[in-house]
Amino acid sequence: MDNFLRRGGLEVPEPVRRFLQGESDFSLRIEQYQEGDTLVVRADLPGIDPETDVDISIVDDTLHIDARREEDPERMDKKGYRSELRYGERSRSIPLPRGVNQDGVVATYEDGVLELRIQLPEQSEPQTTKVRVVRTGGRGANPAPGAPGN
């Protein structure tokens, strides 16, 4: 498809070209696991500048990662240019346990991999409360203690 577009001299916007080439999934792919009381989230982001091309935030117990990778226009104009690399914007939102402290998040970038380590809040033991069911009306029903008619 790319050769057809280039040979035809058509100037096709980048998002349209990528869609025509079958790249319709713009979400950021991640790997996620827990190590002790730390949640680890990793994403392959080769060829980016982590200081300018990635935005990371936590809003309402949701981790948001937005990353962009720009194609070099100088290379695109070179004879025989072909690229199968992914360019453009990718994003991902990941739900976090309630109470995650933003100060407990550390982001590193090494060898094209963004890694986030998120300190998980202490989880208290879930409390169980028994709820008593009171039978009302109907055949064989006993009115609840203190109910009218007792």
Side-chain angles (χ1 to χ4, degrees):
M1 177 65 74
D2 191 39
N3 289 338
F4 171 76
L5 295 175
R6 289 197 188 277
R7 283 187 206 144
L10 297 173
E11 287 297 320
V12 178
E14 180 67 15
V16 174
R17 181 178 70 81
R18 296 219 177 270
F19 177 76
L20 292 173
Q21 291 176 328
E23 291 185 31
S24 59
D25 181 10
F26 294 103
S27 68
L28 183 63
R29 304 227 181 247
I30 64 161
E31 175 180 63
Q32 177 179 328
Y33 55 91
Q34 191 170 333
E35 282 184 349
D37 59 353
T38 302
L39 177 66
V40 180
V41 178
R42 296 168 44 96
D44 285 337
L45 292 171
I48 65 155
D49 180 347
E51 295 176 6
T52 60
D53 297 338
V54 177
D55 294 313
I56 303 168
S57 61
I58 297 177
V59 178
D60 295 331
D61 297 323
T62 302
L63 172 68
H64 300 280
I65 306 170
D66 295 302
R68 0 180 220 286
R69 183 175 181 193
E70 302 290 326
E71 201 163 7
D72 185 349
E74 289 181 21
R75 283 191 221 134
M76 292 173 63
D77 292 337
K78 297 204 184 259
K79 184 177 179 178
Y81 177 77
R82 175 182 171 189
S83 177
E84 295 180 359
L85 303 177
R86 291 184 175 246
Y87 295 97
E89 294 191 22
R90 301 273 188 264
S91 64
R92 188 69 180 260
S93 295
I94 302 158
L96 297 173
R98 174 168 268 133
V100 166
N101 182 353
Q102 292 185 11
D103 296 332
V105 179
V106 176
T108 57
Y109 182 79
E110 184 177 347
D111 296 332
V113 178
L114 173 70
E115 182 176 279
L116 297 154
R117 293 187 159 270
I118 303 160
Q119 188 68 38
L120 296 172
E122 284 187 30
Q123 299 293 319
S124 59
E125 291 296 318
Q127 295 182 351
T128 303
T129 303
K130 288 286 219 178
V131 176
R132 184 172 161 238
V133 178
V134 178
R135 186 184 304 243
T136 60
R139 193 170 29 151
N142 294 327
N150 278 350

